[in-house]
Short mmCIF file of all heavy atoms in Angstrom, two decimals:
data_model
loop_
_atom_site.label_atom_id
_atom_site.label_comp_id
_atom_site.label_asym_id
_atom_site.label_seq_id
_atom_site.Cartn_x
_atom_site.Cartn_y
_atom_site.Cartn_z
N ILE A 94 -4.75 14.90 15.91
CA ILE A 94 -3.94 15.23 17.08
C ILE A 94 -3.27 13.91 17.51
O ILE A 94 -3.85 12.90 17.74
CB ILE A 94 -4.93 15.77 18.12
CG1 ILE A 94 -5.70 16.97 17.72
CG2 ILE A 94 -4.24 15.91 19.50
CD1 ILE A 94 -6.74 17.39 18.61
N ARG A 95 -1.92 14.06 17.77
CA ARG A 95 -1.07 12.87 17.99
C ARG A 95 -0.74 12.99 19.50
O ARG A 95 -0.56 13.97 20.06
CB ARG A 95 0.20 13.04 17.20
CG ARG A 95 1.22 11.98 17.43
CD ARG A 95 0.90 10.79 16.58
NE ARG A 95 2.04 9.84 16.43
CZ ARG A 95 2.22 8.81 17.25
NH1 ARG A 95 1.33 8.59 18.30
NH2 ARG A 95 3.24 8.03 17.06
N ASN A 96 -0.82 11.77 20.12
CA ASN A 96 -0.28 11.62 21.43
C ASN A 96 0.59 10.38 21.50
O ASN A 96 0.96 9.67 20.40
CB ASN A 96 -1.33 11.47 22.49
CG ASN A 96 -2.14 10.26 22.38
OD1 ASN A 96 -1.87 9.32 21.73
ND2 ASN A 96 -3.36 10.30 23.01
N HIS A 97 1.19 10.05 22.58
CA HIS A 97 2.16 9.04 22.66
C HIS A 97 1.75 7.63 22.25
O HIS A 97 2.41 6.90 21.47
CB HIS A 97 2.70 8.81 24.06
CG HIS A 97 3.73 7.78 24.31
ND1 HIS A 97 5.05 7.92 23.78
CD2 HIS A 97 3.69 6.52 24.87
CE1 HIS A 97 5.72 6.82 24.05
NE2 HIS A 97 4.99 5.99 24.69
N GLY A 98 0.52 7.36 22.51
CA GLY A 98 -0.07 6.00 22.21
C GLY A 98 -0.78 5.77 20.87
O GLY A 98 -1.03 4.81 20.33
N GLY A 99 -1.27 6.95 20.29
CA GLY A 99 -2.02 6.87 19.11
C GLY A 99 -2.37 8.30 18.60
O GLY A 99 -1.47 9.22 18.58
N ALA A 100 -3.66 8.46 18.11
CA ALA A 100 -4.11 9.64 17.44
C ALA A 100 -5.65 9.83 17.61
O ALA A 100 -6.34 8.85 17.72
CB ALA A 100 -3.67 9.76 16.03
N LYS A 101 -6.18 11.01 17.41
CA LYS A 101 -7.56 11.25 17.33
C LYS A 101 -7.76 12.27 16.23
O LYS A 101 -6.85 13.03 15.85
CB LYS A 101 -8.13 11.80 18.64
CG LYS A 101 -7.79 13.12 19.18
CD LYS A 101 -8.41 13.49 20.41
CE LYS A 101 -8.06 14.93 20.95
NZ LYS A 101 -8.83 15.28 22.08
N LYS A 102 -8.97 12.33 15.70
CA LYS A 102 -9.24 13.15 14.49
C LYS A 102 -9.45 14.63 15.04
O LYS A 102 -9.76 14.95 16.10
CB LYS A 102 -10.61 12.70 13.78
CG LYS A 102 -11.84 12.85 14.59
CD LYS A 102 -13.00 12.21 13.74
CE LYS A 102 -13.29 13.16 12.56
NZ LYS A 102 -13.76 14.48 12.82
N ILE A 103 -9.32 15.51 13.98
CA ILE A 103 -9.73 16.91 14.16
C ILE A 103 -10.96 17.14 13.29
O ILE A 103 -11.04 16.58 12.17
CB ILE A 103 -8.57 17.88 13.68
CG1 ILE A 103 -7.33 17.69 14.51
CG2 ILE A 103 -9.09 19.30 13.65
CD1 ILE A 103 -6.21 18.47 14.02
N ASP A 104 -12.03 17.81 13.87
CA ASP A 104 -13.15 18.00 13.15
C ASP A 104 -12.97 18.51 11.72
O ASP A 104 -12.18 19.53 11.64
CB ASP A 104 -14.15 19.01 13.89
CG ASP A 104 -14.74 18.23 15.32
OD1 ASP A 104 -14.63 17.03 15.19
OD2 ASP A 104 -15.06 19.05 16.10
N SER A 105 -13.50 18.00 10.67
CA SER A 105 -13.18 18.36 9.37
C SER A 105 -13.49 19.89 9.02
O SER A 105 -12.82 20.43 8.25
CB SER A 105 -14.03 17.50 8.33
OG SER A 105 -15.37 17.66 8.60
N GLU A 106 -14.57 20.41 9.71
CA GLU A 106 -14.82 21.90 9.47
C GLU A 106 -13.89 22.80 10.08
O GLU A 106 -13.74 23.99 9.80
CB GLU A 106 -16.24 22.25 9.93
CG GLU A 106 -16.44 22.02 11.42
CD GLU A 106 -17.13 20.65 11.78
OE1 GLU A 106 -16.89 19.69 11.02
OE2 GLU A 106 -17.83 20.59 12.76
N LYS A 107 -12.89 22.30 10.88
CA LYS A 107 -11.82 23.15 11.53
C LYS A 107 -10.54 23.16 10.79
O LYS A 107 -9.57 23.73 11.21
CB LYS A 107 -11.66 22.65 12.97
CG LYS A 107 -12.97 22.90 13.91
CD LYS A 107 -12.58 22.43 15.26
CE LYS A 107 -13.89 22.73 16.16
NZ LYS A 107 -13.53 22.19 17.48
N ILE A 108 -10.46 22.28 9.64
CA ILE A 108 -9.31 22.25 8.91
C ILE A 108 -9.43 22.47 7.44
O ILE A 108 -10.45 22.28 6.95
CB ILE A 108 -8.44 20.86 9.17
CG1 ILE A 108 -9.46 19.79 8.73
CG2 ILE A 108 -8.20 20.68 10.61
CD1 ILE A 108 -8.79 18.33 8.72
N VAL A 109 -8.41 22.75 6.76
CA VAL A 109 -8.32 22.88 5.28
C VAL A 109 -7.13 22.05 4.87
O VAL A 109 -6.03 22.44 5.15
CB VAL A 109 -8.16 24.30 4.75
CG1 VAL A 109 -8.14 24.38 3.28
CG2 VAL A 109 -9.32 25.17 5.41
N LEU A 110 -7.43 20.87 4.18
CA LEU A 110 -6.32 20.09 3.75
C LEU A 110 -5.54 20.64 2.68
O LEU A 110 -6.04 21.31 1.75
CB LEU A 110 -6.89 18.72 3.26
CG LEU A 110 -7.92 18.06 4.16
CD1 LEU A 110 -8.35 16.57 3.51
CD2 LEU A 110 -7.31 17.69 5.51
N PRO A 111 -4.22 20.58 2.71
CA PRO A 111 -3.36 21.07 1.70
C PRO A 111 -3.72 20.34 0.31
O PRO A 111 -4.03 19.10 0.38
CB PRO A 111 -1.94 20.58 2.10
CG PRO A 111 -2.09 20.47 3.55
CD PRO A 111 -3.50 19.95 3.82
N ILE A 112 -3.51 21.00 -0.72
CA ILE A 112 -4.00 20.37 -2.02
C ILE A 112 -3.12 19.13 -2.48
O ILE A 112 -3.69 18.25 -2.98
CB ILE A 112 -3.97 21.45 -3.08
CG1 ILE A 112 -4.68 20.91 -4.33
CG2 ILE A 112 -2.47 21.93 -3.42
CD1 ILE A 112 -4.91 22.03 -5.43
N GLU A 113 -1.91 19.13 -2.05
CA GLU A 113 -1.06 18.05 -2.37
C GLU A 113 -1.56 16.74 -1.74
O GLU A 113 -1.41 15.61 -2.32
CB GLU A 113 0.35 18.23 -2.08
CG GLU A 113 1.06 19.32 -3.04
CD GLU A 113 1.06 18.95 -4.44
OE1 GLU A 113 1.24 17.60 -4.70
OE2 GLU A 113 0.81 19.65 -5.28
N PHE A 114 -2.17 16.92 -0.54
CA PHE A 114 -2.76 15.72 0.14
C PHE A 114 -4.07 15.36 -0.43
O PHE A 114 -4.35 14.18 -0.63
CB PHE A 114 -2.86 15.99 1.65
CG PHE A 114 -3.25 14.80 2.45
CD1 PHE A 114 -2.33 13.90 2.87
CD2 PHE A 114 -4.58 14.61 2.76
CE1 PHE A 114 -2.76 12.76 3.64
CE2 PHE A 114 -4.99 13.53 3.44
CZ PHE A 114 -4.12 12.61 3.87
N ARG A 115 -4.85 16.30 -0.72
CA ARG A 115 -6.26 16.15 -1.16
C ARG A 115 -6.27 15.50 -2.54
O ARG A 115 -7.15 14.75 -2.93
CB ARG A 115 -7.03 17.51 -1.22
CG ARG A 115 -7.46 17.82 0.09
CD ARG A 115 -8.34 19.09 0.09
NE ARG A 115 -7.66 20.28 -0.21
CZ ARG A 115 -7.89 21.07 -1.22
NH1 ARG A 115 -8.92 20.82 -2.06
NH2 ARG A 115 -7.22 22.16 -1.42
N LYS A 116 -5.19 15.70 -3.35
CA LYS A 116 -5.15 15.24 -4.70
C LYS A 116 -5.15 13.70 -4.75
O LYS A 116 -5.70 12.98 -5.64
CB LYS A 116 -3.84 15.67 -5.44
CG LYS A 116 -3.93 17.07 -6.03
CD LYS A 116 -2.53 17.61 -6.42
CE LYS A 116 -1.87 16.79 -7.43
NZ LYS A 116 -0.66 17.38 -7.87
N ALA A 117 -4.61 13.04 -3.65
CA ALA A 117 -4.51 11.60 -3.54
C ALA A 117 -5.68 10.98 -3.00
O ALA A 117 -5.96 9.81 -3.04
CB ALA A 117 -3.29 11.24 -2.66
N LEU A 118 -6.56 11.70 -2.46
CA LEU A 118 -7.88 11.17 -1.76
C LEU A 118 -8.79 10.79 -2.82
O LEU A 118 -9.19 11.62 -3.70
CB LEU A 118 -8.40 12.15 -0.76
CG LEU A 118 -7.58 12.67 0.36
CD1 LEU A 118 -8.26 13.54 1.26
CD2 LEU A 118 -7.23 11.35 1.25
N ASN A 119 -9.34 9.48 -2.78
CA ASN A 119 -10.37 9.04 -3.65
C ASN A 119 -10.02 9.36 -5.10
O ASN A 119 -10.93 9.66 -5.92
CB ASN A 119 -11.76 9.67 -3.27
CG ASN A 119 -12.11 9.29 -1.80
OD1 ASN A 119 -11.96 8.17 -1.45
ND2 ASN A 119 -12.46 10.39 -1.10
N TYR A 120 -8.88 9.21 -5.50
CA TYR A 120 -8.32 9.52 -6.92
C TYR A 120 -9.19 8.71 -7.98
O TYR A 120 -9.64 9.40 -8.92
CB TYR A 120 -6.89 9.13 -6.99
CG TYR A 120 -6.44 9.32 -8.50
CD1 TYR A 120 -6.11 10.58 -9.03
CD2 TYR A 120 -6.36 8.27 -9.23
CE1 TYR A 120 -5.61 10.68 -10.35
CE2 TYR A 120 -5.92 8.35 -10.71
CZ TYR A 120 -5.57 9.59 -11.09
OH TYR A 120 -5.23 9.82 -12.38
N LYS A 121 -9.44 7.45 -7.79
CA LYS A 121 -10.08 6.65 -8.85
C LYS A 121 -11.54 7.13 -9.00
O LYS A 121 -12.08 7.24 -10.10
CB LYS A 121 -9.95 5.21 -8.54
CG LYS A 121 -8.71 4.66 -8.55
CD LYS A 121 -8.62 3.17 -8.27
CE LYS A 121 -7.30 2.53 -8.32
NZ LYS A 121 -7.17 1.11 -7.91
N GLU A 122 -12.16 7.48 -7.78
CA GLU A 122 -13.54 7.87 -7.88
C GLU A 122 -13.69 9.18 -8.64
O GLU A 122 -14.56 9.44 -9.41
CB GLU A 122 -14.16 7.98 -6.43
CG GLU A 122 -14.33 6.67 -5.80
CD GLU A 122 -13.11 6.07 -5.19
OE1 GLU A 122 -12.00 6.63 -5.32
OE2 GLU A 122 -13.19 4.95 -4.51
#
Side-chain angles (χ1 to χ4, degrees):
I94 298 173
R95 180 83 163 92
N96 65 18
H97 179 70
K101 66 178 182 178
K102 73 182 289 289
I103 297 175
D104 291 340
S105 59
E106 58 265 33
K107 296 181 180 179
I108 60 174
V109 180
L110 306 184
I112 191 168
E113 287 303 318
F114 186 85
R115 287 186 283 124
K116 282 166 60 177
L118 298 178
N119 301 311
Y120 172 80
K121 292 180 180 178
E122 291 82 357

